[in-house]
Amino acid sequence: MALAVQAAGALLSAAPVLVAAAATGFAADLALHRWRPDLAAVLGRLHAGTSVRQAVRDLLLLAGLIRIEEQDQESRYLALLCGLLLFHALHVLCQACALAVRRSRTLPVVTRNIDATALRLSSAPPALLTSRPEQRLLVFGLPSTAGMLTTAATGSAGWAAAGIAAAVLLAAVGTGMLLWRLLPSHRPVTGEQALQWMESWLAEYRPTVGMYFSGGRSSAYQANMWLDPLARLDGRPLIVLRERFMVHHIASTDVPVICLPKVADLMRLEHSTLKVLIHPSNSGRTSQVLRIPTIKHAFVNHGESDKLSSCNPYAKAYDEVWVAGPAARHRYALADVGVDDRDVREIGRPQLDGIRPAAGRPCGPYTTVLYAPTWEGWDADPGNTSVIAAGENIVRALLADPGVRLLYRPHPLTGTVDAGAAAADARIRQLIREARALRAAQHRGEPLALPEAAELALRTAELDRLTAPSCRRGADDVERMLVRTVPEPGRAAAVAAATAAWETAYWASIPAWEHRIVTGTRPDVYACFDVAHLLISDVSSVISDYLASGKPYAVANTGGLTEEDFRAAFPTVRAGAVLTPDARGIPDLLESVRHPGLDPFTDARAELGLHLLGPSSPPSTVRFGDAVRALCVRADEHRAGAAARTVPFIPAQREAGSALDNGTFQD
């Protein structure tokens, strides 16, 4: 629209219209890349990208100037036209250099928590030069646009000439910086040199156990929940990733991280000291690492529930399947998906060792309810998530109770498959925001918690400092470079302490009556467990994990089953209340939480917790370590057996008339 108005202004020689339309279009382009990159990408696919829009905008400005200024237009504006053409040519050259620089710096391995100074890597160029061409065009083209706008307003061509000259200078400097990076003396090591360095580091570090993970950004939580158990293992653990972007989505840890996107490079792990890899999730790239015969593989999953996905047939591809308790073992047996019971090992849930158990009924006037529904899943089963069919009813019923403080924590993948789930989630959030605003108005006369807010700000700044990337470069660039970081021993412990302090400050800063929508990485779901008096969820691993607290829970039944059939189909439900989509049982449920004598599931929860999570002694952390050591022994035995079975080939020499000619070997 702005370009159409600009064209009209140029044709009509209307300077105010021309200036206003061009300025509006340029500002809209900047805003588009800042707040709506998705729309900018769509325009690019329609061949109406930033380069095209900027070129059209510049040419329309120049055409308008020619029509507005009739005297000496041919000699005066020909130079400006040549200047604009030179600027756009330099932009193309700059982009070609950027691609060459990115290609030369794209190494086959990305690392974290490993001293890579031996590779003598230089700092990456600014992301504006290497990975943001459309923004670069707008930034470098700003002087020319501003100059021509000023000329249109004042009639002085000098402004346009100065602006175009400045734009050409910026483009030339940017191109020169990239060309300097392409000089042989400034190029980084080759890919083969980087891989040789990695192999040398592996030989020196001698890892024995690692975690393998592949997935998208939204699935990073599946790996992050295993970081602490992995870090507490004896020996020298390692994290193996496949996607470059995932390197910076792994939470703070002292464990070394290597990312090997190519299968051929991944196969080099066969010659390392790695004996065991644990797998929190299945992915298409998991089958690639399973080809390494010298490594034993254990599937640990990122959570257990009664859903079919918790006993996926893919699990039989692993050497062992590590589960929390007897329930999962029984689940695999019933599913009959090819997992041998001898390969199933119960290790508990090491992540839950720090969860505080129940401390009686709620203290104070407010009952904190955590509503943590799962997502819709891939199979469109209406029983997967309660968000669509029951979420709004559950939230309205909870908000109607003046003694409830609601924490809403939706699954990170909610709405990624079903647009109806995304819409329902948005409506639930709006209900909570309105209820929070209403309560804030009711408590307006209360003193502000300024000390608590100041403490939270202090703890947030400290935690952000500890968890910020250690290298100063753009995220787009980091995904393609071998990250030059020096390990900082004890950093993970410092982050854990800072996280605990932040969580304490976070909950202290929130009034006891305030409803909250909890998203993001902090506070995590386990921190919400500690402050909640009641959990409402769906059939998911959240229920199994929450049982470690011993506190009441309820499950939404949105699959159309009767309560009897629902409890029979999903054993994790048997120690909790069942909610129908209309949420009629919420008032009675809240009463049973506030008055433990009315709670009919106290004993059943303890029994179910033992069935799902296994015994509390020895702790899950100990059982996890025992499982790792036992599987390492199996790996050693396999390697020893393979070495014994390998007979060196000694070529036999042919002799005239020997028995070889008759098919027999001669002594």
Side-chain angles (χ1 to χ4, degrees), residues 37-393:
D38 55 333
L39 184 55
V42 171
L43 291 174
R45 288 194 292 271
L46 296 175
H47 298 280
T50 303
S51 299
V52 174
R53 296 195 300 273
Q54 181 67 12
V56 171
R57 189 160 42 239
D58 287 345
L59 293 176
L60 285 175
L61 268 174
L62 192 57
L65 294 179
I66 293 174
R67 289 186 61 82
I68 292 171
E69 178 62 57
E70 296 294 340
Q71 298 178 355
D72 299 327
Q73 58 183 11
E74 293 183 2
S75 59
R76 181 176 299 179
Y77 291 106
L78 181 60
L80 298 183
L81 177 60
C82 292
L84 280 177
L85 292 176
L86 177 60
F87 169 72
H88 284 281
L90 283 173
H91 170 69
V92 173
L93 178 60
C94 187
Q95 179 61 13
C97 293
L99 292 175
V101 169
R102 284 159 62 92
R103 189 177 297 112
S104 70
R105 295 182 61 88
T106 301
L107 299 180
V109 58
V110 184
T111 71
R112 254 180 66 184
N113 297 333
I114 299 174
D115 186 355
T117 53
L119 292 175
R120 301 186 304 276
L121 297 176
S122 60
S123 299
L128 185 67
L129 293 179
T130 57
S131 55
R132 300 173 186 172
E134 295 185 337
Q135 294 181 38
R136 180 177 69 237
L137 176 63
L138 292 174
V139 172
F140 286 2
L142 179 59
S144 65
T145 301
M148 287 189 287
L149 288 175
T150 305
T151 294
T154 64
S156 174
W159 292 104
I164 293 174
V168 169
L169 180 61
L170 285 174
V173 170
T175 304
M177 292 175 63
L178 293 175
L179 286 171
W180 181 75
R181 296 276 184 169
L182 292 175
L183 294 176
S185 59
H186 292 90
R187 289 191 178 189
V189 297
T190 64
E192 183 58 32
Q193 288 173 326
L195 289 172
Q196 290 176 0
W197 166 84
M198 181 200 71
E199 290 181 331
S200 299
W201 177 84
L202 285 171
E204 180 181 355
Y205 181 62
R206 298 188 62 80
T208 54
V209 59
M211 177 177 67
Y212 177 91
F213 187 76
S214 173
R217 290 175 173 84
S218 59
S219 63
Y221 73 95
Q222 299 172 357
N224 288 334
M225 68 170 57
W226 283 97
L227 293 181
D228 288 342
L230 183 69
R232 290 196 294 266
L233 289 173
D234 296 333
R236 292 166 293 278
L238 179 69
I239 298 172
V240 181
L241 305 176
R242 301 302 307 283
E243 290 80 19
R244 298 176 188 274
F245 62 80
M246 190 58 68
V247 172
H248 284 288
H249 287 271
I250 296 296
S252 296
T253 178
D254 287 339
V255 178
V257 179
I258 61 172
C259 175
L260 297 166
K262 293 184 178 179
V263 180
D265 301 333
L266 181 71
M267 292 298 108
R268 293 181 181 237
L269 294 178
E270 180 177 354
H271 306 292
S272 72
T273 56
L274 263 178
K275 301 177 183 179
V276 170
L277 281 176
I278 64 171
H279 299 258
S281 67
N282 298 311
S283 72
R285 288 184 161 189
T286 300
S287 62
Q288 297 169 351
V289 75
L290 293 179
R291 302 175 189 175
I292 301 179
T294 58
I295 300 176
K296 292 294 183 181
H297 303 270
F299 182 57
V300 295
N301 212 338
H302 54 274
E304 294 181 5
S305 72
D306 291 323
K307 290 188 291 188
L308 292 177
S309 57
S310 289
C311 47
N312 193 311
Y314 195 92
K316 63 187 175 187
Y318 301 94
D319 296 288
E320 291 186 0
V321 177
W322 295 352
V323 299
R329 179 188 294 275
H330 185 59
R331 188 181 302 120
Y332 273 109
L334 288 178
D336 192 23
V337 292
V339 176
D340 194 319
D341 185 70
R342 293 171 296 181
D343 295 330
V344 178
R345 187 180 182 107
E346 299 172 25
I347 66 166
R349 287 278 284 166
Q351 300 86 350
L352 307 180
D353 284 353
I355 291 182
R356 295 193 297 267
R361 66 183 180 84
C363 299
Y366 293 99
T367 302
T368 299
V369 180
L370 172 62
Y371 178 39
T374 190
W375 68 303
E376 59 269 25
W378 301 109
D379 56 2
D381 187 337
N384 284 341
T385 179
S386 60
V387 168
I388 301 174
E392 292 174 79
N393 294 332

Side-chain angles (χ1 to χ4, degrees), residues 442 472 576:
Q442 295 170 348
R472 297 180 178 274

Side-chain angles (χ1 to χ4, degrees), residues 380-651:
D381 187 337
N384 284 341
T385 179
S386 60
V387 168
I388 301 174
E392 292 174 79
N393 294 332
I394 291 173
V395 169
R396 282 196 180 94
L398 291 171
L399 296 177
D401 190 311
V404 165
R405 189 263 293 266
L406 174 61
L407 302 179
Y408 175 55
R409 186 177 178 84
H411 192 283
L413 297 179
T414 298
T416 56
V417 173
D418 190 339
D425 173 60
R427 292 192 295 270
I428 289 172
R429 295 180 187 227
Q430 183 59 30
L431 286 173
I432 296 173
R433 283 191 287 265
E434 292 173 357
R436 183 171 59 198
L438 181 60
R439 278 213 175 155
Q442 295 170 348
H443 293 268
R444 186 172 292 127
E446 296 181 2
L448 298 176
L450 296 179
E452 289 81 1
E455 177 70 10
L456 177 61
L458 179 66
R459 297 300 181 184
T460 301
E462 174 66 11
L463 189 54
D464 288 343
R465 182 186 67 80
L466 288 171
T467 57
S470 56
C471 50
R472 297 180 178 274
R473 56 183 70 166
D476 295 335
D477 188 63
V478 168
E479 292 175 3
R480 294 169 173 82
M481 312 300 175
L482 186 147
V483 184
R484 183 183 181 184
T485 56
V486 178
E488 305 173 34
R491 183 168 176 266
V495 169
T499 301
W502 180 89
E503 289 173 355
T504 301
Y506 175 82
W507 297 118
S509 68
I510 302 174
W513 45 263
E514 183 175 298
H515 305 299
R516 276 282 166 137
I517 301 169
V518 184
T519 57
T521 57
R522 60 190 192 217
D524 62 19
V525 68
Y526 300 133
C528 295
F529 286 176
D530 284 340
V531 300
H533 303 113
L534 168 68
L535 168 71
I536 298 178
S537 187
D538 306 320
V539 176
S540 71
S541 61
V542 173
I543 294 174
S544 302
D545 289 351
Y546 189 75
L547 277 166
S549 71
K551 291 182 283 191
Y553 69 93
V555 188
N557 175 14
T558 56
L561 298 175
T562 65
E563 180 173 337
E564 182 179 359
D565 291 340
F566 187 60
R567 291 186 183 276
F570 304 108
T572 52
V573 180
R574 71 186 187 206
V578 174
L579 295 177
T580 53
D582 57 13
R584 286 179 302 175
I586 292 289
D588 292 338
L589 175 62
L590 292 172
E591 283 301 303
S592 69
V593 174
R594 290 162 179 158
H595 305 284
L598 301 177
D599 183 359
F601 299 109
T602 303
D603 295 335
R605 280 196 301 275
E607 178 186 347
L608 182 60
L610 183 64
H611 183 57
L612 292 176
L613 304 176
S616 58
S617 180
S620 297
T621 302
V622 174
R623 285 184 280 158
F624 178 51
D626 291 343
V628 169
R629 284 187 289 272
L631 196 53
C632 283
V633 171
R634 285 187 57 187
D636 288 336
E637 293 172 348
H638 175 81
R639 293 187 184 197
R645 290 189 297 270
T646 302
V647 179
F649 175 72
I650 303 176

